[in-house]
């Protein structure tokens, strides 16, 4: 009964209400400090747990105080402390002896101070002793939990814990390296400045304590005069690296400056006037100095990776940089230009490894370009697959810990043979050295999607988008995964809209959304409007657009529109990434829809003839 009487006297509901208010204030402080100090997202939840734990502690203290006060008697408690015992109070009650002597009317015996306090408590005064204990315990409980949280936060910061940045990542600092200006006399040396920029960026991405925006997202800012703060906001970073390269016959000048976009202050800057032979050392030094400036601790392994010299042959390295340039050109080109660019890249890489057979990085890039020629239908032959195998195996043999070698081998297993488990095993090995590579996240996402693990695929494509936020490829992949894998058409529409905002001239984005609208939502009119939006800026003869039009008009049973469209097409075969579609095949289906069966049979025969030639030329192309 003592427990319950203590709880009643101490007003349990008041303790609960006051503690909730104190906890709410504490959580507001915790949330503000988490953002201000760039602490991990789980710190507010940690504070909430501390406050939950604190409530029974506060309650227990109130109960113990209640028991103590019950033993002493309420008349001994005055404003939160035990009052001295008055001898008059301690005497047993006496019989009334009549009026007190002295002038004036008698008012009866004056109660002692302690008794007045007890009456005040019973009367409900805010300063009553029990109320004071309630306020004190509730507020001190919240303050105590906040103090524990503060100690944990201080320890986290002192120990150098990784923290999120304004870009939403999980690293201590986020960096975007803008394209380096080419200040060389020869404009053709732009590939060299781009190569220096990309290699510095690659070294930075090997530092786990940094989130580095991928090259694709920053190239659109080449030569821009926009405010760095605006660029940083668009890329979701705090720090921006700018630089320039001037190459002469005997002198190489590289300048680099790291700027805090929030304050517009220089964090670090350096100008290197060196011999061209010092290029690799300059790239490593820039990456290490940036890490130091941002207080990003390097592990011994990371330090070794960014200091590594991939080759001692500068001519081989120059060939490698030229090959990277052609590889990048092909990634954003039409089918024919892509094939030419990647074959040129392969030729340059062959020359590089002939000059330096120990050049593992060039072997890795060579293997990757070989297998992309297979996957994107430029040369889907066993002979090309074998060249890819030899190159990636050589790269791994030369440097088993080279992240680029493991990544290239992962793509080889996937794009060469659809060996998903082997591809994921290589991706895991690559992740040790390439924690911030969007191409690695893309490999994992693509393979997991093939395995039917759509949620994992969506998460990994999202990871690629965080690292490469201005690249339309990732929201496009997210849209396809959400639509076809998970049936989340609304989420897919948002992702396609994002992709279109980044690349308004990319036909595939319009075509894929149109196909989803008609095949998943059954909305042919909406699909047609999507294709019309493309045709206001591009041509209807684009192969992937022509195929999308077929699906839309076929769903609408509009054989007249189908026949008019395919009668006017110049192409005999629509060359798509994973398919070669003869135009007569599409006409045949339109003729069959119109009820013209004899004409349809003739069109099917023409389609068959068009397929026999490539099938004979590439018998191993499924």
């Amino acid at each position: 009964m003592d427990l319950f009487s203590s709880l009643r006297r101490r007003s349990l509901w008041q303790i609960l209400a006051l503690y909730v208010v104190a906890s709410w204030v504490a959580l507001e402080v915790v949330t503000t400090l988490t953002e201000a100090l760039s602490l991990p997202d789980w710190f507010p939840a940690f504070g909430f747990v501390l406050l939950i734990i604190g409530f029974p502690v506060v309650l227990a203290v109130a109960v113990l105080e209640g028991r103590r006060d019950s033993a002493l008697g309420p008349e001994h408690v005055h404003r939160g402390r035990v009052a001295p015992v008055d001898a008059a109070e301690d005497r047993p009650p006496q019989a009334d002896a009549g009026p007190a002597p002295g002038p004036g009317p008698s008012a009866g015996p004056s109660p002692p101070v302690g008794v007045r306090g007890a009456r005040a408590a019973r009367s409900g005064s805010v300063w009553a002793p029990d109320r004071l204990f309630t306020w004190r315990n509730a507020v001190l409980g919240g303050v105590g939990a906040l103090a524990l949280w503060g100690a944990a936060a201080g320890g986290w910061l002192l120990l150098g814990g990784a923290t999120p940045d304004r870009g939403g990542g999980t690293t201590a600092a986020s960096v975007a390296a803008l394209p380096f200006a080419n200040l060389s006399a020869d404009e053709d040396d732009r590939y060299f400045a781009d190569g220096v920029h990309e290699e510095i960026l690659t070294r930075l991405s090997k530092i786990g304590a940094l989130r580095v925006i991928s090259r694709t997202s920053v190239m659109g800012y080449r030569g821009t005069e926009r405010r760095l703060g605006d660029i940083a906001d668009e890329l979701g970073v705090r720090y921006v690296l700018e630089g320039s390269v001037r190459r002469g016959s005997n002198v190489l000048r590289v300048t680099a400056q790291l700027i805090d976009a929030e304050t517009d202050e220089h964090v670090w800057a350096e100008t290197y006037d060196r011999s061209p032979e010092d290029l690799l050392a300059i790239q490593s030094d820039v990456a290490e100095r940036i890490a130091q400036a941002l207080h990003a601790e390097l592990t011994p392994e990371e330090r070794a990776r960014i200091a590594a010299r991939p080759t001692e042959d500068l001519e081989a390295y120059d060939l490698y940089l030229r090959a990277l340039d052609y590889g990048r050109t092909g990634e954003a080109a039409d089918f024919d230009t892509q094939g030419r660019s990647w074959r040129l890249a392969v030729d340059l890489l062959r020359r590089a490894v002939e000059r330096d057979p120990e050049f593992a990085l060039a072997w890795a890039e060579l293997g990757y370009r070989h297998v992309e020629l297979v996957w994107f239908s430029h040369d889907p032959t066993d002979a090309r697959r074998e060249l890819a195998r030899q190159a990636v195996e050589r790269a791994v043999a030369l440097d088993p810990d080279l992240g680029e070698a493991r990544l290239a081998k992962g793509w080889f297993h996937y794009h060469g043979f659809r060996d998903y488990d082997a591809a994921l095993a290589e991706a895991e090995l690559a992740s040790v050295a390439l924690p911030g590579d969007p191409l690695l996240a893309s490999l994992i996402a693509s393979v997991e999607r093939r395995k039917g693990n759509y949620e994992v695929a969506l998460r990994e494509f999202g990871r690629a988008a965080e690292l490469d936020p201005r690249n339309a490829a990732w929201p496009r992949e997210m849209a396809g995964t959400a639509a076809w894998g998970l049936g989340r058409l609304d989420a897919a529409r948002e992702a396609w809209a994002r992709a279109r905002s980044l690349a308004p001239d990319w036909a595939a984005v319009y075509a894929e959304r149109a196909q989803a609208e008609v095949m998943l939502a059954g909305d042919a009119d909406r699909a047609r409007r999507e294709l019309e939006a493309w045709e206001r800026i591009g041509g209807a003869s684009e192969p992937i657009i022509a195929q999308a039009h077929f699906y839309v008009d076929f769903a609408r049973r509009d054989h007249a529109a189908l026949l008019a469209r395919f009668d006017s097409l110049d192409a005999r075969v629509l060359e798509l990434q994973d398919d070669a579609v003869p135009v007569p095949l599409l006409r045949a289906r339109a003729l069959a829809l119109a009820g013209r069966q004899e004409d349809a049979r003739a069109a099917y025969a023409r389609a068959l003839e068009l397929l026999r030639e490539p099938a004979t030329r590439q018998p191993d192309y499924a």
Side-chain angles (χ1 to χ4, degrees):
M1 293 302 292
D2 287 344
L3 171 63
F4 291 106
S5 62
S6 296
L7 291 179
R8 282 194 297 271
R9 187 168 69 255
R10 299 231 164 250
S11 302
L12 176 59
W13 68 270
Q14 292 183 29
I15 296 176
L16 175 60
L18 291 171
Y19 189 76
V20 167
V21 172
S23 298
W24 176 76
V25 173
L27 281 176
E28 288 295 311
V29 173
V30 163
T31 303
T32 302
L33 289 175
T34 296
E35 183 176 351
L37 298 175
S38 295
L39 295 169
D41 293 338
W42 53 265
F43 258 84
F46 173 59
F48 182 67
V49 171
L50 288 177
L51 290 165
I52 291 176
I53 295 171
F55 177 70
V57 176
V58 170
L59 189 61
V61 171
V63 170
L64 291 174
E65 289 178 344
R67 288 178 175 174
R68 185 194 68 185
D69 296 345
S70 295
L72 293 174
E75 69 275 13
H76 301 294
V77 180
H78 177 58
R79 297 205 178 194
R81 61 185 181 274
V82 177
V85 178
D86 186 282
E89 296 176 46
D90 205 33
R91 289 194 298 267
Q94 304 287 326
D96 193 350
S106 171
S110 177
V113 173
V115 176
R116 286 198 301 269
R119 287 177 181 168
R122 286 192 296 272
S123 69
S125 168
V126 72
W127 293 109
D130 289 352
R131 295 285 178 90
L132 285 170
F133 280 132
T134 300
W135 277 95
R136 187 196 67 190
N137 291 338
V139 173
L140 288 181
V143 171
L146 182 60
L148 287 174
W149 180 89
W156 178 271
L157 294 172
L158 288 173
L159 293 173
T163 57
D165 54 26
R166 79 184 191 177
T170 58
T171 54
S174 52
V175 183
L178 300 186
F180 280 24
N182 172 38
L183 302 182
S184 302
D186 189 348
E187 176 58 27
D188 290 340
D189 270 353
R190 193 176 78 171
Y191 82 90
F192 184 79
D194 285 350
V196 172
H197 165 253
E198 182 169 357
E199 288 301 292
I200 290 173
L201 192 152
T202 299
R203 281 169 166 77
L204 288 171
S205 70
K206 295 181 179 182
I207 301 172
L210 298 179
R211 184 173 73 93
V212 182
I213 300 301
S214 180
R215 181 187 182 280
T216 309
S217 287
V218 299
M219 291 311 291
Y221 299 101
R222 184 196 297 277
T224 184
E225 295 182 359
R226 296 182 59 193
R227 288 181 59 254
L228 287 185
D230 294 338
I231 295 173
D233 285 339
E234 288 182 0
L235 296 174
V237 299
R238 176 167 180 173
Y239 301 97
V240 176
L241 177 68
E242 295 182 312
S244 64
V245 178
R246 183 191 299 274
R247 182 166 67 161
S249 56
N250 298 314
V251 178
L252 173 66
R253 166 172 284 195
V254 177
T255 65
Q257 56 182 355
L258 184 67
I259 301 168
D260 184 335
E262 287 189 353
T263 62
D264 203 28
E265 295 178 351
H266 283 71
V267 179
W268 167 82
E270 188 67 66
T271 297
Y272 299 87
D273 284 310
R274 306 275 186 86
S275 165
E277 284 75 19
D278 290 330
L279 171 62
L280 298 173
I282 293 172
Q283 292 171 164
S284 299
D285 190 67
V286 170
E288 185 161 355
R289 298 284 293 277
I290 289 173
Q292 291 173 357
L294 298 180
H295 308 291
E297 280 208 34
L298 299 177
T299 66
E301 294 79 12
E302 289 172 340
R303 198 177 299 279
R305 288 186 197 114
I306 65 175
R309 296 176 65 87
T311 180
E312 298 297 331
D313 188 322
L314 288 182
E315 180 62 30
Y317 191 69
D318 189 76
L319 290 167
Y320 168 76
L321 294 182
R322 290 179 183 272
L324 290 183
D325 192 54
Y326 278 111
R328 292 188 294 262
T329 299
E331 288 167 0
D334 59 55
F335 185 82
D336 291 336
T337 303
Q338 183 181 78
R340 285 195 302 272
S341 297
W342 286 353
R343 286 187 172 91
L344 284 169
V346 164
D347 288 341
L348 291 165
L349 291 164
R350 280 175 178 158
R351 289 164 56 191
V353 296
E354 285 172 3
R355 288 190 60 89
D356 181 4
E358 308 297 306
F359 194 172
L361 195 60
W363 280 111
E365 183 69 12
L366 178 59
Y368 176 66
R369 288 303 166 198
H370 274 312
V371 81
E372 294 307 271
L373 285 169
V374 172
W375 182 257
F376 286 93
S377 307
H378 299 291
D379 187 18
T381 62
D382 286 342
R384 183 69 68 173
R385 289 187 185 89
E386 176 60 19
L387 291 172
R389 185 195 66 78
Q390 292 173 7
V392 298
E393 292 287 1
R394 177 65 172 158
V396 170
L398 287 169
D399 190 348
D401 297 325
L402 183 65
E404 289 87 347
R406 292 296 183 179
L407 180 57
K409 193 173 181 181
W411 285 111
F412 164 75
H413 285 304
Y414 171 34
H415 280 176
F417 295 94
R418 292 178 171 82
D419 188 340
Y420 306 134
D421 291 338
L424 287 177
E426 292 297 333
E428 185 174 356
L429 294 170
S431 66
V432 176
L434 301 174
D437 194 323
L439 199 59
L440 173 61
S442 171
L443 172 61
I444 297 170
S446 300
V447 173
E448 293 288 6
R449 185 168 60 186
R450 292 271 175 165
K451 290 167 68 70
N453 300 324
Y454 299 114
E455 292 286 2
V456 178
L458 194 60
R459 184 190 69 217
E460 290 297 322
F461 279 128
R463 163 81 173 148
E466 288 179 5
L467 295 165
D468 196 6
R470 304 291 295 174
N471 189 342
W474 311 132
R476 175 198 173 194
E477 296 288 2
M478 292 171 72
T481 305
W484 301 103
L486 296 168
R488 299 176 187 167
L489 198 51
D490 286 341
R493 287 176 180 134
E494 290 182 12
W496 272 313
R498 171 65 175 163
R500 185 196 288 188
S501 71
L502 293 171
D505 58 346
W506 196 359
V509 175
Y510 298 79
E512 288 168 6
R513 178 170 177 181
Q515 291 183 43
E517 294 292 355
V518 72
M519 298 175 76
L520 294 179
D523 193 338
D525 290 336
R526 194 171 195 171
R528 189 178 67 239
R529 289 195 299 271
E530 191 71 17
L531 296 176
E532 289 171 351
W534 160 257
E535 289 170 6
R536 286 194 287 271
I537 61 171
S541 61
E542 189 86 28
I544 195 169
I545 295 293
Q547 185 186 50
H549 268 298
F550 172 80
Y551 287 120
V552 173
D553 290 338
F554 196 89
R556 296 172 63 238
R557 298 294 189 265
D558 191 346
H559 58 81
L562 284 169
L563 291 173
R565 186 174 307 281
F566 292 112
D567 282 342
S568 63
L569 269 183
D570 294 331
R572 299 169 67 223
V573 177
L574 301 180
E575 294 284 356
L576 306 168
Q577 176 182 326
D578 295 320
D579 216 352
V581 181
V583 171
L585 176 62
L586 301 179
R587 287 194 73 256
R589 297 184 67 184
L591 289 165
L593 184 67
R596 296 164 56 183
Q597 300 303 328
E598 288 300 320
D599 292 336
R601 289 191 188 95
Y604 279 127
R606 284 194 294 276
L608 191 60
E609 287 300 319
L610 288 173
L611 287 174
R612 282 201 177 106
E613 187 275 327
T616 303
R617 177 166 43 86
Q618 297 180 339
D620 54 350
Y621 184 17

